[in-house]
Amino acid sequence: MAFVLRQLAKPTLQRNLLLSTSSLRHAAKDAASKAPATIAPSMTNPQQQLIVSDSCLKRLREICVDGSFLRITVEGGGCSGFQYKFDLDTKMNEDDLQFGEEKAKVVIDTISLDYCSGATIDYHSELIRAGFRMVANPQAEMGCSCGSSFAIKL
């Protein structure tokens, strides 16, 4: 779903398939080394940002030892209309933005960021479960009780 949203939002975007994998790795490393620590503004809109909590950074430092990072995607679905998807990934896309720090990166595409700009990414642990969650999303009007889906403000 995020792929379709990206294509609709950027119809003139053409991906350069001739780049080698090594040049993509170098570009991702260069972009990562320039990223600020906790909050990074979007390149397209400096008002867009994500806040990464200390507990999230701590957990990412523990699990991202192989160069992976936390990828956040907003997809259509869930009981409230949209849902957050959290994955560990190693491949950067050209429309990705980075937040956090070098050893504890959070990556989100620009379309998904529109749906959760200003929110806080947290790691929460309790007896019944533990995981990453999006907290205090100013773009969300309401959410379900489990916290994984939300409706956007119109």
Side-chain angles (χ1 to χ4, degrees):
M1 183 65 158
F3 174 77
V4 173
L5 290 173
R6 276 193 295 266
Q7 298 309 316
L8 290 174
K10 298 179 182 180
T12 59
L13 177 68
Q14 295 186 6
R15 299 188 187 269
N16 187 353
L17 299 176
L18 300 176
L19 289 175
S20 68
T21 341
S22 64
S23 65
L24 286 174
R25 282 190 202 122
H26 293 320
K29 283 182 184 178
D30 290 343
S33 66
K34 295 174 186 171
T38 303
I39 301 173
S42 163
M43 287 180 256
T44 57
N45 183 353
Q47 302 297 325
Q48 292 185 320
Q49 65 181 8
L50 284 179
I51 300 163
V52 183
S53 73
D54 290 336
S55 62
C56 179
L57 290 172
K58 179 183 175 195
R59 183 62 179 148
L60 287 173
R61 283 185 214 109
E62 294 169 355
I63 63 175
C64 295
V65 293
D66 61 348
S68 60
F69 51 82
L70 179 67
R71 174 174 297 283
I72 299 174
T73 310
V74 174
E75 297 179 336
C79 53
S80 297
F82 292 92
Q83 62 188 358
Y84 303 112
K85 184 177 174 189
F86 299 96
D87 292 310
L88 288 179
D89 197 356
T90 57
K91 182 181 177 242
M92 293 287 295
N93 298 321
E94 64 185 43
D95 65 337
D96 285 340
L97 298 172
Q98 297 180 33
F99 300 90
E101 57 191 43
E102 181 59 33
K103 303 242 183 224
K105 285 190 279 194
V106 176
V107 172
I108 188 168
D109 63 271
T110 55
I111 301 298
S112 294
L113 184 59
D114 289 339
Y115 293 101
C116 54
S117 179
T120 300
I121 303 147
D122 189 34
Y123 181 78
H124 183 72
S125 180
E126 55 188 55
L127 286 175
I128 194 167
R129 72 178 191 152
F132 295 99
R133 64 181 182 171
M134 194 72 70
V135 181
N137 183 352
Q139 310 304 321
E141 182 175 51
M142 59 179 243
C144 67
S145 61
C146 70
S148 65
S149 70
F150 66 101
I152 59 168
K153 290 180 183 176
L154 296 177

